[in-house]
Amino acid sequence: MKAIKETNFNFPRQSSFYKGKVRDVYTIDHRFMTMVVTDRISAFDVVLPEAIPFKGQVLNQIAAKFLKATADIVPNWVIDVPDEMVTIGRICEPFKVEMVIRGYLAGHAWREYSSGKRSVCGEVLPDGLKENDKLPEPIITPTTKAHVGHDEDISRADILAKGIVSIQDYDKLEAYTHALYKRGTEMAAERGLILVDTKYEFGKVGDDIFLIDEIHTPDSSRYFYSGGYEERQHTGEPQKQLSKEFVRKWLIENGFQGKEGQVVPEMTPELVNSISERYIELYEQITGDRFVKNDDDNVLKRIEGNVLARLTELLSK
């Protein structure tokens, strides 16, 4: 097992460090952000006790591919990807909302709908829908961006009323979100997949908006296989999907949904290995590329060396 659960680097001109649920973020010289995608895994906004081998490599490489493929729609934060688990980019002031877009009734939206609710984040849904049905039109269901604890659903009206985002910027975020989802949907279709729902995060440098963080990864998105989708919906069978939802379902089946007093069930080595294999399957299916494991004996040393070499170049300019 060579999973990276945490890092503790001290890079030249390092000005700050932030540990997220999955990512360790190093700010360099107040100019560059070095994001190390660890092998930590979270669900229901809780970091699970065991790290998943190769998960960080999977997420970072998928995000790099899709950020490059959508740069014509909106500029993004990436400067370089010096290591399989690392992205270096420009520092942006993040908007305090995540732009979640849904083309199908699945996951959190389905759980809300099945409990009797017919409005999610101010978006009204028709009666008579089944789990995983295609929605009449994609809907945006934003969440607040919480540093600690759970992200919360929020409507466009509340975002604007509370002054979280200006109407001028929010209109742009909505337009970018729809355009990115359309591109993601088209790319997924080429791979025999349906992009069910996903989330995007944005930030600003001056007056310019940038796409930040990851996109179209199994941690931020849900995919169905398109082959047999209609038949499975007709017969009421579960959809064959590519996402982190299988981890959430395992947790729910074992009595955990991140609620107070609940305990994360034991993650056996067999379970950890099966999650790792599932992430690699996700990578290959989503990208169409064969996954090449970088299983160096000292992953931390490799990461540090690759980052140092690239930072030396950037800081000399």
Side-chain angles (χ1 to χ4, degrees):
M1 291 291 188
K2 298 173 183 176
I4 301 302
K5 195 168 185 179
E6 60 183 352
T7 67
N8 187 28
F9 298 121
N10 187 12
F11 295 118
R13 300 195 212 172
Q14 182 173 312
S15 43
S16 68
F17 170 76
Y18 168 75
K19 181 179 180 179
K21 296 185 186 79
V22 172
R23 291 158 183 77
D24 289 351
V25 182
Y26 298 83
T27 302
I28 310 298
D29 199 33
H30 303 284
R31 289 193 289 157
F32 306 113
M33 182 180 290
T34 298
M35 182 181 287
V36 182
V37 187
T38 73
D39 294 318
R40 295 192 295 269
I41 185 169
S42 71
F44 300 111
D45 293 316
V46 173
V47 177
L48 303 186
E50 300 295 335
I52 308 300
F54 303 109
K55 176 179 175 287
Q57 183 182 341
V58 164
L59 296 188
N60 196 57
Q61 291 187 318
I62 291 176
K65 182 182 183 80
F66 285 106
L67 285 165
K68 186 176 181 180
T70 56
D72 61 314
I73 295 173
V74 54
N76 62 62
W77 72 288
V78 177
I79 293 173
D80 195 14
V81 182
D83 184 271
E84 289 89 340
M85 297 177 70
V86 182
T87 299
I88 296 176
R90 56 183 56 80
I91 295 174
C92 303
E93 180 64 32
F95 289 100
K96 295 180 181 179
V97 293
E98 294 183 353
M99 301 297 286
V100 181
I101 184 166
R102 305 176 183 277
Y104 295 75
L105 186 60
H108 170 68
W110 166 249
R111 288 189 283 271
E112 294 287 284
Y113 188 90
S114 63
S115 72
K117 295 181 182 179
R118 290 298 178 266
S119 176
V120 181
C121 300
E123 294 284 350
V124 178
L125 299 171
D127 288 325
L129 295 177
K130 304 190 304 294
E131 183 177 11
N132 302 328
D133 273 354
K134 186 175 183 178
L135 298 173
E137 295 290 340
I139 60 172
I140 294 177
T141 58
T143 65
T144 57
K145 181 62 177 170
H147 284 294
V148 178
H150 294 271
D151 297 340
E152 300 288 344
D153 288 350
I154 190 168
S155 67
R156 171 193 167 96
D158 283 343
I159 289 169
L160 298 180
K162 294 177 181 180
I164 298 172
V165 182
S166 71
I167 188 167
Q168 295 86 355
D169 283 342
Y170 195 77
D171 284 345
K172 291 179 183 177
L173 298 189
E174 283 192 327
Y176 284 143
T177 297
H178 280 292
L180 289 165
Y181 182 68
K182 183 175 184 292
R183 177 68 56 80
T185 297
E186 292 166 352
M187 295 181 72
E190 294 172 358
R191 301 290 313 141
L193 299 172
I194 295 169
L195 181 55
V196 176
D197 52 44
T198 190
K199 73 177 179 72
Y200 304 110
E201 296 186 47
F202 299 91
K204 290 186 86 173
V205 177
D207 293 330
D208 298 323
I209 294 176
F210 289 84
L211 180 60
I212 62 174
D213 201 49
E214 64 177 359
I215 69 165
H216 298 165
T217 72
D219 272 21
S220 66
S221 313
R222 192 188 324 269
Y223 293 88
F224 292 157
Y225 285 91
S226 55
Y229 166 80
E230 295 290 352
E231 182 180 349
R232 283 188 284 270
Q233 282 304 97
H234 181 71
T235 59
E237 294 178 62
Q239 287 297 329
K240 186 179 179 185
Q241 64 174 286
L242 289 170
S243 73
K244 198 170 64 172
E245 187 68 12
F246 72 96
V247 177
R248 297 187 192 97
K249 287 192 173 183
W250 172 77
L251 289 168
I252 291 171
E253 288 166 1
N254 286 275
F256 184 82
Q257 294 186 54
K259 297 177 180 177
E260 189 174 352
Q262 294 182 338
V263 178
V264 177
E266 180 188 4
M267 298 178 69
T268 64
E270 292 77 18
L271 176 73
V272 169
N273 280 332
S274 71
I275 296 174
S276 178
E277 290 168 2
R278 192 74 172 268
Y279 267 89
I280 291 170
E281 176 195 352
L282 293 169
Y283 173 91
E284 295 186 335
Q285 190 64 45
I286 291 168
T287 66
D289 301 328
R290 186 175 71 87
F291 184 77
V292 179
K293 295 180 179 179
N294 194 331
D295 54 356
D296 289 349
D297 290 335
N298 194 328
V299 180
L300 289 173
K301 184 176 180 180
R302 183 202 80 212
I303 291 172
E304 185 175 33
N306 288 337
V307 172
L308 281 171
R310 190 64 181 101
L311 288 179
T312 299
E313 295 175 8
L314 291 171
L315 291 170
S316 66
K317 295 179 180 178

